[in-house]
Amino acid sequence: MQKILAYPLSVIFYLCFGLTLVVFHVIQWFCHKVFGYKGLKHAVDALQFAIMRCLNLLGTRITFNNPYDISTDRPIIIVANHQSMYDISPILWYMRKHHVKFVSKQELGKGIPSISYNLRHGGSVLIDRKNPRQALPAMMKFGEYIEKTKRAAVIFPEGTRSKDGTPRPFKTKGLELLIKKVPSALIVPITVNNSWKMLRYGAFPMGIGNHIKFTVHKPLEIINFTDKTELIQQVEKTIVDAIEH
């Protein structure tokens, strides 16, 4: 019965989601051209809020539990598990005061209204995961940008999303490089739960009636760890231990 109901709700969702992306593409372009980065930032924030409202059409609830007062006067590196594309908007919205930027695969930098524009112009980094000669310098430059601007970098160390919520082992090279290039940062682990259920049937129909939960864990000081491998292992354990199975 739930899957049957998911079909008409998914049609409504995709219509609203697609329209939202197209409309905000124009809004982002205008705000960026007229008001610069600040205008683009406000447009992107509004886009994330609108996307979450589109998810509500599927009966989706979102809980973002962050009990920590994280300073905006220093850079942060947000490390999270990855379950679906619907992980992204809540992190962008609820952590918006930190000016969140993403480490994304190069393919997302073109062809997607709103999303591609923000990735190209908003300060995120697009990497070719099959080409270390491109990815390494791009990540180094991105890390220097985060350190200088005191903004937030988000990285999903699994490399790709988990299709059933089971975490994949962390690929640590990108995170190691960010830690090296952003030495003054706080590491902020975030656990995502139930986002994978949005795609439990595939892209169509969408999963309905899901409760996506985000848990922000205690931030960690990079400078408190002489062994960065130990730091990354602790971050991974913290995230994985809070995943619901």
Side-chain angles (χ1 to χ4, degrees):
M1 181 64 185
Q2 188 180 62
K3 188 174 182 180
I4 293 173
L5 181 60
Y7 281 97
L9 290 178
S10 296
V11 171
I12 295 170
F13 166 77
Y14 276 121
L15 287 172
C16 292
F17 181 63
L19 182 61
T20 297
L21 294 184
V22 170
V23 169
F24 271 95
H25 188 87
V26 177
I27 293 172
Q28 282 185 79
W29 178 88
F30 176 81
C31 290
H32 188 211
K33 296 298 182 183
V34 176
F35 303 108
Y37 172 80
K38 186 175 290 187
L40 176 62
K41 171 71 167 60
H42 287 305
V44 170
D45 289 347
L47 169 64
Q48 310 318 315
F49 183 81
I51 289 174
M52 291 192 296
R53 300 292 74 79
C54 290
L55 290 171
N56 292 153
L57 296 171
L58 297 167
T60 306
R61 293 180 294 144
I62 297 170
T63 300
F64 199 94
N65 181 26
N66 178 17
Y68 304 101
D69 183 16
I70 303 170
S71 173
T72 57
D73 294 330
R74 58 186 302 184
I76 64 174
I77 300 173
I78 297 170
V79 185
N81 61 308
H82 192 27
Q83 295 190 348
S84 80
M85 63 177 286
Y86 305 105
D87 303 339
I88 294 171
S89 287
I91 292 175
L92 277 165
W93 173 253
Y94 288 103
M95 302 293 285
R96 62 190 181 278
K97 69 178 182 179
H98 297 284
H99 295 252
V100 175
K101 314 301 174 189
F102 280 83
V103 177
S104 300
K105 59 184 180 180
Q106 190 169 263
E107 294 84 346
L108 298 179
K110 56 185 178 181
I112 309 173
S114 285
I115 294 169
S116 295
Y117 188 89
N118 179 42
L119 288 174
R120 290 198 314 271
H121 300 285
S124 294
V125 63
L126 295 164
I127 61 171
D128 183 351
R129 293 183 294 185
K130 298 178 181 178
N131 182 6
R133 297 179 69 178
Q134 180 274 340
L136 183 61
M139 284 290 291
M140 291 176 67
K141 186 176 180 180
F142 178 61
E144 291 166 358
Y145 164 79
I146 295 297
E147 176 73 15
K148 179 180 178 180
T149 58
K150 295 180 172 57
R151 291 174 179 166
V154 176
I155 186 168
F156 299 118
E158 290 168 285
T160 188
R161 67 181 180 86
S162 168
K163 295 182 179 180
D164 61 0
T166 303
R168 298 168 181 263
F170 278 15
K171 299 176 181 178
T172 62
K173 286 186 178 179
L175 182 53
E176 288 171 359
L177 187 57
L178 277 182
I179 289 172
K180 182 178 179 180
K181 302 302 291 186
V182 197
S184 68
L186 278 174
I187 303 288
V188 180
I190 295 181
T191 299
V192 182
N193 276 300
N194 299 326
S195 173
W196 69 272
K197 294 178 181 178
M198 301 302 298
L199 300 173
R200 69 168 76 204
Y201 308 124
F204 188 85
M206 296 281 291
I208 63 174
N210 297 307
H211 184 187
I212 305 177
K213 302 175 185 177
F214 296 79
T215 303
V216 178
H217 303 284
K218 184 178 180 180
L220 300 171
E221 291 275 5
I222 291 176
I223 58 173
N224 289 345
F225 291 82
T226 53
D227 184 350
K228 299 306 185 282
T229 300
E230 180 187 347
L231 168 60
I232 293 172
Q233 289 174 345
Q234 182 171 328
V235 169
E236 182 173 8
K237 186 177 188 305
T238 298
I239 292 169
V240 170
D241 284 353
I243 293 176
E244 299 172 359
H245 297 286

